[in-house]
Amino acid sequence: MDRILLDAGSGGKASHRLIHDLFFRLLGNDYLTRMDDAALLPVSGPVAVSTDGFTVSPLFFPGGDIGALAVHGTVNDVAMLGARPRFLTAAFVIEEGFLMADLERIVTSMAKAAKEAGVLVVAGDTKVVPKGAADGMFITTTGIGEVLVQPAPSGHRAKPGDAVLVSGFLGDHGLAIMASREGLSFDVPVVSDCASLNGLVEAVLAAVPEVHVLRDPTRGGLITTLNEIAAQSGVEIQVEEAAVPVRPEVASGCSFLGLDPLYLANEGKLVCLVPEAHGDAALAALRAHPLGRHAARIGTAAAGPSRVVITTPLGGQRLADMLEGEQLPRIC
Ligand code: MG
């Protein structure tokens, strides 16, 4: 069988073949393969739970695919609570006629991402919908993680005086998806940054348990994320535009396309707010990790109205609001 047929989601023999021959072979573990109605997990204490639906288009893009993204995205959301992600569930909605080889490639990529992040896929579901009822494939993942520090980092905990850090170059994922969707190529190829950040989070928390806020600037990019934090915590966030790390090829691709890299999605970066006294230690911990080598301090939280104020390289100031509408639909 080289294409997924409707009966692969029927719950009957074809479903069982797909589950055993593909999902168990690539993702199998003692929880998943027991085949009960639910997995019984050995988790104690407070847990962090997050769920996300992935609809990225195209399914395969420079630097990743929907399978890797469905693992990284949910692992990262759980990790942003200062938790160690341990378990994932995955639900697939597949369009009839989907190539089996593509499904295998996507699930293989999920398995690799899950292994690297140290998480097990413990429950799953597959539905096949008639041709035209979905665009190829959608994946929904739910992640469960053990809380490592209390109180957990939260968007509500930013305080005036906090240093605002980012873990590296911004805008790579958004521009890579955009370029691959539009068939554009740049002199220096732009590749998605998609990666699991739980190791980076543990490194920074080990150095600075006092971290106030961790958040991954995905849809809507850095500025949207900072606006969310400003609103949740009731602080003004001041950003030095010149300090925000953006790759030259991303900056030039964005100016060509009329996009702002500070609003573009990232899938392997985090924003971190820490008390000023721990700013240098947190920055050093980020930079010591391979996924945080280009971390930078980009600003400060201040007492004031809930808003984001950017100081431009020429010294002017402007308000940076959340975007109206979607700059780039189906980015993740
Ligand atoms: Mg998030």
Side-chain angles (χ1 to χ4, degrees), residues 3 14 78 91 94 118 149 156 162 168 198 204 229 281 287 296 312 315:
R3 286 183 185 272
V78 169
I94 306 172
V149 288
H156 295 271
D162 281 357
N198 49 328
V204 70
I229 297 167
R287 286 183 175 166
T312 66

Side-chain angles (χ1 to χ4, degrees), residues 22-307:
L22 183 83
F23 290 106
F24 282 6
R25 174 167 56 84
L26 295 171
L27 297 173
N29 56 68
D30 291 346
Y31 301 102
L32 185 67
T33 55
R34 271 181 81 83
M35 291 289 275
D36 282 328
D37 282 340
L40 215 47
L41 303 177
V43 186
S44 59
V47 296
V49 178
S50 185
T51 194
D52 212 339
F54 295 85
T55 64
V56 66
S57 168
L59 295 172
F60 300 95
F61 50 84
D65 58 47
I66 190 171
L69 195 59
V71 172
H72 297 313
T74 294
V75 159
N76 290 347
D77 279 339
V78 169
M80 295 306 129
L81 272 283
R84 176 178 295 152
R86 292 197 55 203
F87 303 109
L88 285 183
T89 72
F92 297 79
V93 174
I94 306 172
E95 186 184 12
E96 175 189 14
F98 196 80
L99 278 176
M100 191 57 113
D102 283 350
L103 179 61
E104 168 128 12
R105 208 175 136 196
I106 287 165
V107 179
T108 300
S109 159
M110 284 187 93
K112 178 168 175 278
K115 186 158 191 252
E116 285 167 5
V119 295
L120 295 174
V121 177
V122 294
D125 182 48
T126 309
K127 297 276 163 40
V128 181
V129 296
K131 200 149 190 63
D135 184 11
M137 173 190 290
F138 303 140
I139 304 177
T140 299
T141 50
T142 299
I144 297 168
E146 292 172 339
V147 170
L148 297 174
V149 288
Q150 299 226 51
S154 158
H156 295 271
R157 292 186 57 213
K159 295 273 184 309
D162 281 357
V164 180
L165 315 176
V166 295
S167 64
F169 292 115
L170 296 179
D172 298 5
H173 178 76
L175 193 62
I177 295 291
M178 179 72 160
S180 109
R181 200 182 292 170
E182 302 300 327
L184 303 171
S185 60
F186 302 113
D187 291 343
V188 179
V190 175
V191 173
S192 168
D193 58 347
C194 123
S196 285
L197 296 171
N198 49 328
L200 182 65
V201 166
E202 290 200 27
V204 70
L205 286 176
V208 181
E210 298 85 354
V211 166
H212 283 162
V213 184
L214 291 170
R215 187 157 292 188
D216 53 343
T218 53
R219 270 181 306 177
L222 175 72
I223 298 300
T224 300
T225 294
L226 293 180
N227 271 285
E228 289 167 359
I229 297 167
Q232 282 179 290
S233 291
V235 295
E236 178 175 294
I237 297 181
Q238 300 166 346
V239 176
E240 292 288 333
E241 191 170 5
V244 179
V246 177
R247 293 180 198 278
E249 58 270 31
V250 170
S252 67
C254 281
S255 68
F256 176 70
L257 293 166
L259 300 169
D260 183 340
L262 305 195
Y263 285 96
L264 283 185
N266 309 279
E267 290 292 344
K269 298 291 153 33
L270 58 80
V271 173
C272 172
L273 275 71
V274 290
E276 173 65 44
H278 301 286
D280 289 344
L283 188 59
L286 289 172
R287 286 183 175 166
H289 190 280
L291 292 176
R293 271 197 307 270
H294 303 285
R297 177 169 181 174
I298 60 164
T300 306
S306 300
R307 61 183 189 180

